[in-house]
Amino acid sequence: WMYGGYTQYIRDAIKLRYTMIPYLYSLLREANLTGAPIMRPMFYEFQNDSKCYNEGIDFMFGPSILVANVVEEGAVSRSVYLPEGSNWYDYNTRSYYKGGQTLEIPVTIDSIPMFIREGAVIPLTEGINCIGQQEIEQIRVLIAPKEKGEFLLYEDDGISQKYLDGEYLSTKISVRPGEKIMIDFSMEGSYQSKVDTMVLDVIYREKGPFWVTVDGREIKQFLHRDKWEAAEEGWYYSHTLKSVQVKYKAVRKDYQVAISFEKFDLIGM
């Protein structure tokens, strides 16, 4: 079931605007170095939740995405258990759910419901469906920052074995939650990334931030999405996605992004 579900999942992911090639490639690297599986049975990630022990259909794609397979032809709904120990977001709608509960959700045989684990850091890209197909010029990082999280984004040329001589780039993305969300990027390796633009999609359902800095420099806020899309740099709060959209040119060194939701005194401004 794992191989079939994985193949079907990848086909479905390719249909999305943003594909998971950077996430998958990084997980392949992790599997090569540590043996950690890309597709993980539920009990692998949630060993303290006995309800996960006998789960044979749903699985974790890496540490951050719960994949709820639909395996019954003609099914119009199915139950999905969200494990205790984490809270969750629907991948498509961004609806929020507490862990330890069972949902009844509408499905078809062509749908694969997915849920994002709180603390997730998931690198995506746009328009690339195959590793090594073409150079990745934009990375979009989906972040659920209410809990600490980190992910090791791995890049190389996707073709040669130059990575054996250190020609790779391993970027540790670390997220610290709070009223000021801190996102640190720490790099290792000699590969010159072809990524030109970074976009952060930071889920925050309560409100938009007051300011955003990249590498210590405050960037511009946009109130309209079309103007943000047209700009090379800036941030925008999406009420549809309930997230902060941050865009900037790729930084070729260790750096930090800060997103502030801190209260401030209007009288003292």
Side-chain angles (χ1 to χ4, degrees):
W1 68 267
M2 294 187 72
Y3 177 80
Y6 176 66
T7 304
Q8 186 180 6
Y9 168 74
I10 292 299
R11 288 199 196 104
D12 187 73
I14 286 172
K15 297 175 186 177
L16 302 174
R17 177 181 177 186
Y18 299 106
T19 66
M20 298 185 184
I21 292 299
Y23 184 66
L24 172 60
Y25 200 48
S26 300
L27 292 175
L28 288 167
R29 173 66 169 175
E30 180 187 10
N32 176 261
L33 293 176
T34 69
I38 297 168
M39 292 178 57
R40 305 174 181 185
M42 299 302 296
F43 64 79
Y44 184 95
E45 289 289 336
F46 301 97
Q47 298 182 21
N48 294 324
D49 188 340
S50 61
K51 292 183 180 179
C52 295
Y53 292 174
N54 295 319
E55 177 58 63
I57 297 176
D58 298 348
F59 62 92
M60 295 295 295
F61 179 34
S64 299
I65 301 174
L66 190 162
V67 181
N69 272 326
V70 179
V71 297
E72 296 181 8
E73 186 174 359
V76 296
S77 68
R78 61 151 296 183
S79 298
V80 179
Y81 176 68
L82 302 178
E84 286 185 339
S86 287
N87 296 320
W88 302 85
Y89 298 92
D90 184 286
Y91 184 88
N92 293 305
T93 68
R94 304 291 176 87
S95 297
Y96 175 78
Y97 302 99
K98 290 189 175 182
Q101 65 172 310
T102 299
L103 306 179
E104 190 71 24
I105 57 175
V107 299
T108 70
I109 193 63
D110 296 320
S111 67
I112 301 183
M114 298 185 293
F115 295 86
I116 304 166
R117 185 179 185 177
E118 191 71 88
V121 179
I122 305 171
L124 312 168
T125 193
E126 187 173 10
I128 296 177
N129 299 330
C130 180
I131 296 169
Q133 178 188 53
Q134 63 191 81
E135 293 176 349
I136 295 176
E137 297 180 349
Q138 182 187 106
I139 292 288
R140 183 181 186 92
V141 187
L142 175 58
I143 299 172
K146 285 298 185 69
E147 294 181 8
K148 285 184 178 180
E150 67 177 42
F151 189 78
L152 209 58
L153 171 63
Y154 177 78
E155 300 173 72
D156 59 23
D157 64 18
I159 301 172
S160 73
Q161 292 189 324
K162 292 180 180 179
Y163 69 92
L164 294 173
D165 299 319
E167 197 167 321
Y168 64 86
L169 183 64
S170 183
T171 303
K172 184 178 180 180
I173 307 173
S174 303
V175 179
R176 287 176 285 162
E179 287 192 323
K180 185 189 292 183
I181 296 171
M182 311 298 289
I183 307 168
D184 292 293
F185 295 78
S186 304
M187 303 177 189
E188 175 187 314
S190 62
Y191 176 67
Q192 298 298 308
S193 175
K194 304 304 186 293
V195 173
D196 178 65
T197 303
M198 294 289 295
V199 178
L200 309 184
D201 180 355
V202 183
I203 300 172
Y204 203 92
R205 296 185 58 83
E206 291 83 355
K207 60 182 179 180
F210 297 116
W211 51 260
V212 175
T213 61
V214 176
D215 196 25
R217 179 176 52 84
E218 190 166 341
I219 63 173
K220 182 178 178 179
Q221 177 186 6
F222 289 88
L223 298 178
H224 301 284
R225 183 176 183 87
D226 56 347
K227 293 183 178 180
W228 176 80
E229 291 276 8
E232 288 190 347
E233 176 184 272
W235 68 270
Y236 162 80
Y237 184 73
S238 171
H239 290 278
T240 302
L241 294 176
K242 300 296 183 184
S243 75
V244 188
Q245 310 281 296
V246 182
K247 179 166 60 173
Y248 55 94
K249 288 294 184 180
V251 181
R252 309 298 184 189
K253 62 174 184 177
D254 294 357
Y255 69 99
Q256 184 180 80
V257 174
I259 304 174
S260 176
F261 299 89
E262 296 170 301
K263 297 177 181 178
F264 63 94
D265 184 359
L266 289 173
I267 297 176
M269 289 182 62

